[in-house]
Amino acid sequence: EPEVTQTPSHQVTQMGQEVILRCVPISNHLYFYWYRQILGQKVEFLVSFYNNEISEKSEIFDDQFSVERPDGSNFTLKIRSTKLEDSAMYFCASTPTGLLVYGYTFGSGTRLTVV
Amino acid sequence: GENVEQHPSTLSVQEGDSAVIKCTYSDSASNYFPWYKQELGKGPQLIIDIRSNVGEKKDQRIAVTLNKTAKHFSLHITETQPEDSAVYFCAAPNPSNFGNEKLTFGTGTRLTIIP
C-alpha cells in the first residue's frame, strides 16, 4: 500500500534555530497538508498546499513557517526560528483530490523537540 | 468553523466486549466523517469513514453510525482484541472556499483493551 514518508522521525533543535521537516507524499496525490499534534492533544491543521501554492493556513501558521515543494516528490515544512512551543509531532498528509472523497493518508510524523 | 467534541477521553473494556466512542459536530453542512486510529509513535491511520447520505457503515468488527439531525456520529468496535488498544480520533471537514477541505479533529479517546 502506498505510504507518505516523513524524515527525520525525531529532530532536536535549539531554540532560535531553523528546522526543515521533509515529506514525500504519495506519487499520484495532488493535495498536501501539514498538521501538528502537541503531546497529548488533538491533531491541528497547519496548512494545505495545491498546485505549488498554499491553499489555506491556520492562525498557527505564522511568518515563521513556510512550505515548499522543491521538486516533483518532496514537500517540506520550514520553521525559521524555533520556539519552545513549537515542540510537537508534525504530520504530513496527502490526498488525490481536494474534496475528502478518499480521506487523508498521513505519514508517521516527525517529533520536533525544541530545547 | 467546525467544532468537534469527542467522548470519552479514556475507555477501558474487557477483551471481547464492545467499545463505543461518540463525537458531535457543529456545522450542519459537513458531509464526511472519518475515524482515525493512532498507535504509539505512528501517524493517524484511517480505519473507517461515513458520508452523510448513509446512516451506518460496517467493516468487519468496526462500524460507524451517523445521526445528521442530532449532528453526532459514533464508532463501534465489537469483539475487541488487544491490538485495538490505541488512541482514536474522529474528525469532520471544515468547509473551504479553496476547494481543498481540511479536517477538524476531536480530542481523542485512549482505548485500552484489558486481556
Side-chain angles (χ1 to χ4, degrees):
Chain A
E1 191 168 325
E3 289 185 344
V4 174
T5 305
Q6 287 187 246
T7 55
S9 57
H10 192 187
Q11 172 108 34
V12 181
T13 189
Q14 291 223 321
M15 191 168 56
Q17 295 296 303
E18 174 183 288
V19 294
I20 297 176
L21 311 183
R22 302 180 193 279
C23 169
V24 178
I26 293 173
S27 61
N28 63 344
H29 286 190
L30 301 177
Y31 294 80
F32 315 116
Y33 308 82
W34 283 100
Y35 282 74
R36 81 170 185 190
Q37 184 180 31
I38 294 172
L39 187 63
Q41 299 186 23
K42 65 179 177 180
V43 180
E44 301 175 288
F45 170 78
L46 289 179
V47 66
S48 57
F49 190 88
Y50 169 71
N51 200 27
N52 284 321
E53 59 183 24
I54 291 173
S55 302
E56 196 167 352
K57 56 186 180 180
S58 72
E59 59 270 17
I60 302 169
F61 195 90
D62 61 22
D63 292 346
Q64 293 301 310
F65 290 86
S66 63
V67 289
E68 192 179 26
R69 190 153 163 82
D71 53 43
S73 59
N74 289 283
F75 178 51
T76 62
L77 173 70
K78 183 194 290 187
I79 309 175
R80 260 182 276 282
S81 178
T82 49
K83 303 187 283 277
L84 294 176
E85 54 264 39
D86 294 327
S87 295
M89 282 288 289
Y90 288 81
F91 293 107
C92 174
S94 68
T95 63
T97 75
L99 297 179
L100 287 167
V101 177
Y102 300 102
Y104 287 173
T105 301
F106 280 93
S108 294
T110 294
R111 179 171 297 284
L112 176 64
T113 303
V114 182
V115 297
Chain B
E2 181 69 274
N3 183 41
V4 178
E5 296 192 359
Q6 182 172 347
H7 301 280
S9 56
T10 60
L11 179 62
S12 296
V13 300
Q14 288 290 139
E15 183 178 351
D17 287 351
S18 296
V20 180
I21 304 170
K22 299 182 179 182
C23 283
T24 61
Y25 62 96
S26 60
D27 191 334
S28 56
S30 290
N31 57 4
Y32 171 76
F33 306 94
W35 284 92
Y36 286 86
K37 176 182 181 182
Q38 186 178 28
E39 295 175 309
L40 196 62
K42 296 186 178 180
Q45 180 185 12
L46 179 68
I47 55 171
I48 196 167
D49 55 20
I50 192 167
R51 300 180 196 285
S52 59
N53 57 340
V54 296
E56 183 174 359
K57 181 177 176 181
K58 196 171 181 181
D59 182 3
Q60 299 183 342
R61 297 186 297 107
I62 294 173
V64 55
T65 58
L66 172 64
N67 183 328
K68 283 224 77 179
T69 304
K71 291 192 279 190
H72 67 70
F73 57 111
S74 300
L75 177 70
H76 304 254
I77 307 174
T78 58
E79 300 171 27
T80 52
Q81 300 168 4
E83 54 265 36
D84 295 329
S85 294
V87 179
Y88 292 80
F89 290 96
C90 62
N94 273 56
S96 171
N97 295 327
F98 307 99
N100 192 356
E101 292 182 312
K102 61 184 189 280
L103 288 174
T104 295
F105 283 82
T107 48
T109 296
R110 180 173 300 279
L111 175 64
T112 303
I113 307 301
I114 305 166

